[in-house]
Amino acid sequence: MPHTSSSMPRSAALISLMALASRLLGLLRDMAMAWLLGGGPAAEALVIAMRVPHMIRRLFGEGSLSMTITAALVRLGCAPSPSGSVSPAPDARRMAAMTSALHWRLALALGLPVALCCWQAEACVALLAPAASAAVLDQAAPLLRICLPYALAASLAALGMALLHSLQRFFLPALAPVLFNCAVLAAAALAACGGGDAAGLLAGGMLCGGIAQWASQRMGTIRLRRAASSAPADGRTAWRLLGGLPAGALGAAAPQLSMLCATAAASALPGGTVAALYYAERLLELPLGVLSMGLGIASLPVLSRLAAAGRHELLAGQTSDALRWSLLLTLPAAAGLAAVAAPLISLLLEHGAFAARDVRLATLALMGYLPALPACGLTRILLAACHARGMGRPPLYGALLATAASALAAGLCAATVHTEDALWALTLSCAAALWIQPLLLWRVLNRSLAAHHACLRLSRKALGQMAFAALCTWLAAGSAAGLPCAAGWKLCLAVPAGIVCYAAVLMALRNADALDILRRLRLWWTQRHTSSLS
């Protein structure tokens, strides 16, 4: 096996670094959108139009849906060839041939629904935001027609990402979101220079970003696809894999569907709440993408190969490690964001058309969403383990249960409270519902692994240490954020205070993972110092 599980932290670090670049560009994009459109009707219309394409980008372009394809390709590449021989490394030619076979089939399967939705854009907008005003709905329909073809481009790009992920090549797939954000920023710059309607140009930038993602993945896999031309894929297998993609998409879609329910319910609240939800979600995705997406994507090919080799105890151990690392990062991120939410949103977004009321609404929405951050991080790891073991139904059932709970909670909030303060209750209830899926997947995976005398483990001692350290982080960062100074200075004081406090508390409690990170850093520094002397 050319790549062992020891490469997982290194691959996760690479993906997280690229995700950080993408998220920072995404923040610039959202700042430009807030400056150009604020939280008014044009902003709400654009948010409604971008809702489905954004959901598909998170599913396809950022690796969630490609989990299904990646795991299937690894199992195909590790399976015996038709002649009966078994290669020690996955067969890249067979995997590339299957990806090529899936490409045109997926284009056909998604092209027709996209065309139908473009034709009936008014009905789709009314379904996404049933309580929105007529002015917002009229603006959203033409914007949706511009944005929707992005769904097709992002889906096709996901196939190239899945092939590269299955071969543990992560740089080019991680670069795709960067290209997307660059395209939208270019459109925003054109709008700022008076090049046309800002909302229409931003929607066009999304479409161009999707085309750039698709083209980059096609070019990145061109050599593999040429080498695979002599190894045609089985058409029946390709259609069977394609038939499993909807279940895989829905299984990874719980956060997106939950936020879709929140958007539909928020359309019944006072104006500006739909745009506030969008900005809160974008800020929530910054730590989620940087901290958890790397672990989820990097762990999938490793876990898939361990499952194909029947090494269940090692698979359980690697999954448990990834879950613990995810909590180690997402718990302080949620605590820190809770402490600095208001000054952060004020510093980033309170410019141009984005007013103080919009800051307050976005802060309320973000505070409610924060409990979902650790849940989404755990879900990514558990989804990878399920797909590695070929378990497609548990993620689907978990996502459906979480979505149903979110829809029920969002409907109750919108029906009972009609003030702006309902936004906090709305997002908090959706965040609570998102814990259903990881709890269900944990239970199902442990039952499955018990047949192989293995199980997932999370030490209560480690969980207690991380929870206490996160609480101390919130107190330290919150104290600094409460100082009577400008928002920028508050952040400059609060962020380092939270980081130092979290690390110090973990070290004082002798947390095993924190000590292991410190040991690795010392080893890296020693090796670097030794090489520089030599």
Side-chain angles (χ1 to χ4, degrees), residues 1-15 66 69-71 73-74 78 88-92 95 159-174 217 220-221 224 294-306 318:
M1 190 179 295
H3 297 277
T4 66
S5 58
S6 63
S7 65
M8 187 167 61
R10 188 165 55 251
S11 300
L14 171 64
I15 298 169
S66 64
I69 308 173
T70 300
L73 291 177
V74 171
C78 293
D91 189 342
M95 296 157 73
L159 289 178
M161 294 178 184
L163 176 58
L164 294 170
H165 285 161
S166 62
L167 297 173
Q168 293 188 282
R169 302 178 185 178
F170 299 109
F171 177 77
L172 195 57
Q217 303 310 303
T221 58
L224 291 171
L295 281 172
I297 294 175
S299 63
L300 180 57
V302 173
L303 298 180
S304 298
R305 294 179 188 185
L306 291 175
Q318 290 295 316

Side-chain angles (χ1 to χ4, degrees), residues 122-139:
E122 290 80 4
C124 292
V125 167
L127 184 63
L128 291 172
S133 64
V136 171
L137 295 178
D138 289 343
Q139 293 182 70

